[in-house]
Amino acid sequence: MKKVGLTLLTAFVGGAMALGTYKIFETKYADNMTFEERQKVYFTNNPMTVSSAGSVDFTQAAAAVTPAVVYIRTTYSPSQGNGGGSQLDDMFGDFFGQRMRPRGPQQASGSGVIISPDGYIVTNNHVVEKADKITVNLNDHRSFQAKVVGTDPSTDLALIKITGTDLPIVKLGNSDDAKVGEWVLAVGNPFNLNSTVTAGIVSAKGRNIGIIGSENNDEDSNPFGMRQQQAAPKLNKAIESFIQTDAAINPGNSGGALVNTKGELIGINAAIASHTGSYEGYGFAIPINLAKKVLNDIKQFGSVKRGYIGVSFRELNDDAAKDIGITRNTGLYVSELVEGGGAQAAGIRKGDIITKVEGNPVYESSDLQERVGRLQPGDKINITVLRDGSEKNFAITLKGEAASPKTAAVSKSAEELFNKLGASFQPLSKEQKAKFHVNNGVVVTQVRPGRLFYETEIPVGSIITNINKQPINSIADIDKAITNLRNGNLIISGIYPDGTTFNNMFQVQ
């Protein structure tokens, strides 16, 4: 026993002497070492394990995903065009889709991803925005007409629906688990080439490139919160926290899938940064964890139920810190508060610096806005701010957006006519029926600019009771009613949010 103890003691002393000798050697001779020698010494003391991808095989992931990535063709009336030539087109050319501008009806194309066997498809808002007719072609060459269930311009997402059963789907993944350097595949339909798969890596996460909503904002616009330097600041609802990838993404890829090597959907391809309008190595996808909330809300409520912190902030860097007159150069500087907003109620002050959200460091706006974008009004979020040299924690209850008091002989398909309405609907609850003294109806949950409901000022919150004198209780009832036109006339009856009734007739072209 004494011999064992002596052996252990000898080993311990020998190890300590070796470590001490190393430390003396490191201190004394470090200045004379080459960088390579210094690194060898460092990594001997601080070993790190880096796994190698080895021989990578993407065939299984591609085979699993390709059948559920669809080709979307849209048709626009000449008056609608393709979004009216917005600044999005000016900034990034035509990379959002194959956009042609012939005389007569205009066409565009993009991609989409089937996420449920009964035909729900996620795509980009800009792919289907203002479209009269949406045709969806599957990888097996089947073709369907689609209707817009709802859109969310703030994230550039849209949910559309085709009528089908047992359709192939892509498994939803977890975009939070995606790591920079991880292999990913982009699947879509660039240049009208169906079912194209390209490979690359995740180049970065949480990118804010200022593209969503840019056509409505000036250079001083805050990407989350309020526009600054206005007498009455206006909320800018754009939410950008893109996954950046160097997988080849080209015109027509918009709305397609960004998947990991397991074949799991981690993003919806949305944009490329390019001088030419084609692939230059910078592609951007909307994280699927953000998309999940948006799509579930659209399906359940007909529109997105989004909560707001109620602050205007400035992203800090060396220049911003110098301009404001502070030494801190990371975080988000709170420049204004929304009166009655969640942040004000929780005790956030002008001049606070947001440093953490849910315990995670905040360096730029996307670190905060994606987290908030996943939540709903009434949810709480934990924010850490730096105030007077010390950090303070606040639990902020998100507030919803205040409702605005007030915000056409046809051979077209039901889907095409439905899209012309430019609205989303939900069946009435018992409480709503009692409130408006009706036995049937649907409530308008979203109105999209440039379409019939928008142009005729039928606002969100209106109740549609009859179309062409047919009682309406569901979207299926709307489909039946709008295809039963007399001389191309569409008669919509209902009740405005203030309780007044309307009975409007439209000529559908």
Side-chain angles (χ1 to χ4, degrees):
M1 189 68 182
K2 291 181 179 180
K3 184 179 293 186
V4 173
L6 182 61
T7 302
L8 290 175
L9 179 61
T10 303
F12 175 78
V13 172
M17 289 177 64
L19 180 60
T21 302
Y22 156 74
K23 287 296 182 183
I24 295 172
F25 176 83
E26 180 186 41
T27 303
K28 185 174 181 180
Y29 298 104
D31 289 341
N32 296 323
M33 291 181 186
T34 66
F35 287 114
E36 184 178 14
E37 290 170 339
R38 288 188 185 192
Q39 288 207 352
K40 285 180 179 178
V41 172
Y42 176 85
F43 287 116
T44 298
N45 246 351
N46 302 277
M48 60 181 293
T49 302
V50 179
S51 62
S52 172
S55 178
V56 181
D57 186 351
F58 300 132
T59 56
Q60 292 185 17
V65 173
T66 300
V69 177
V70 302
Y71 175 49
I72 297 176
R73 290 187 296 112
T74 55
T75 303
Y76 305 81
S77 63
S79 61
Q80 294 299 331
N82 190 18
S86 70
Q87 189 174 344
L88 289 174
D89 292 327
D90 296 335
M91 290 179 65
F92 289 93
D94 289 341
F95 70 84
F96 274 158
Q98 283 296 101
R99 301 172 185 266
M100 299 165 284
R101 296 177 175 82
R103 293 182 180 180
Q106 299 180 15
Q107 294 184 338
S109 68
S111 304
V113 184
I114 306 175
I115 56 174
S116 71
D118 56 345
Y120 284 97
I121 298 171
V122 56
T123 186
N124 289 141
N125 174 58
H126 69 254
V127 171
V128 298
E129 186 179 22
K130 300 183 181 179
D132 292 329
K133 183 178 181 179
I134 302 172
T135 303
V136 173
N137 293 331
L138 271 60
N139 186 249
D140 61 9
H141 302 294
R142 283 184 290 171
S143 182
F144 299 85
Q145 294 298 306
K147 67 175 65 171
V148 177
V149 179
T151 63
D152 182 37
S154 296
T155 54
D156 193 28
L157 288 168
L159 184 66
I160 65 176
K161 177 78 165 62
I162 60 177
T163 301
T165 57
D166 298 323
L167 296 170
I169 65 173
V170 177
K171 182 180 180 180
L172 299 179
N174 184 351
S175 53
D176 287 349
D177 290 342
K179 294 179 173 59
V180 174
E182 174 184 346
W183 280 105
V184 288
L185 304 179
V187 187
N189 304 279
F191 302 118
N192 294 326
L193 299 173
N194 287 7
S195 304
T196 296
V197 180
T198 57
I201 63 169
V202 174
S203 303
K205 295 177 65 177
R207 288 294 198 213
N208 185 330
I209 59 176
I211 183 63
I212 299 177
S214 60
E215 66 270 30
N216 298 319
N217 300 323
D218 54 33
E219 294 180 355
D220 294 322
S221 296
N222 190 313
F224 182 77
M226 301 180 298
R227 292 182 64 181
Q228 302 183 38
Q229 299 178 353
Q230 293 181 334
K234 180 181 178 181
L235 285 172
N236 177 357
K237 306 169 191 175
I239 299 176
E240 294 187 13
S241 186
F242 292 120
I243 299 172
Q244 182 182 329
T245 178
D246 66 348
I249 296 175
N250 279 296
N253 268 115
S254 279
L258 186 72
V259 300
N260 58 24
T261 53
K262 299 176 184 178
E264 297 171 336
L265 186 67
I266 62 169
I268 302 300
N269 298 324
I272 62 175
S274 171
H275 295 287
T276 65
S278 297
Y279 172 71
E280 290 186 7
Y282 301 93
F284 301 92
I286 302 160
I288 197 61
N289 284 7
L290 175 60
K292 288 175 186 176
K293 179 264 192 300
V294 171
L295 300 173
N296 288 332
D297 274 9
I298 290 175
K299 182 178 183 296
Q300 183 177 357
F301 306 114
S303 60
V304 180
K305 303 296 184 182
R306 181 158 287 128
Y308 296 94
I309 289 182
V311 298
S312 173
F313 57 74
R314 184 171 180 181
E315 216 171 84
L316 288 178
N317 52 36
D318 289 337
D319 292 336
K322 183 178 180 180
D323 185 46
I324 296 171
I326 59 177
T327 57
R328 175 93 180 194
N329 62 357
T330 59
L332 306 175
Y333 179 83
V334 178
S335 53
E336 295 291 344
L337 296 170
V338 174
E339 188 69 29
Q344 186 184 65
I348 300 293
R349 299 177 187 172
K350 182 177 178 179
D352 285 346
I353 299 173
I354 299 173
T355 59
K356 296 177 183 176
V357 54
E358 298 294 351
N360 298 307
V362 171
Y363 299 107
E364 51 193 351
S365 59
S366 59
D367 293 331
L368 175 64
Q369 66 184 61
E370 186 192 355
R371 292 284 177 178
V372 175
R374 300 181 191 182
L375 303 176
Q376 302 201 36
D379 289 343
K380 290 184 180 294
I381 189 167
N382 296 308
I383 300 294
T384 302
V385 304
L386 183 66
R387 179 189 297 171
D388 298 328
S390 61
E391 288 190 328
K392 299 180 181 295
N393 298 315
F394 295 90
I396 300 176
T397 301
L398 303 183
K399 297 290 185 71
E401 183 180 14
S404 174
K406 190 174 181 180
T407 27
V410 181
S411 60
K412 300 182 186 300
S413 67
E415 288 82 4
E416 190 172 352
L417 291 171
F418 187 94
N419 293 335
K420 277 185 173 291
L421 298 180
S424 297
F425 310 91
Q426 282 286 297
L428 288 180
S429 65
K430 291 182 180 179
E431 292 76 13
Q432 289 171 318
K433 288 180 180 179
K435 175 182 177 181
F436 290 96
H437 306 291
V438 294
N439 295 320
N440 64 277
V442 293
V443 61
V444 179
T445 57
Q446 185 185 55
V447 174
R448 295 182 280 280
R451 316 309 284 162
L452 191 147
F453 270 47
Y454 180 86
E455 297 295 343
T456 54
E457 297 184 345
I458 300 177
V460 169
S462 297
I463 307 299
I464 306 302
T465 55
N466 294 274
I467 295 180
N468 287 347
K469 299 184 178 181
Q470 298 181 39
I472 301 298
N473 279 299
S474 65
I475 292 177
D477 291 340
I478 296 176
D479 288 343
K480 294 177 183 178
I482 60 179
T483 54
N484 183 26
L485 303 181
R486 297 179 181 179
N487 299 320
N489 291 327
L490 184 66
I491 303 173
I492 300 179
S493 304
I495 305 171
Y496 289 120
D498 63 4
T500 59
T501 60
F502 63 89
N503 191 44
N504 300 332
M505 179 183 290
F506 311 97
Q507 181 70 37
V508 180
Q509 302 296 328

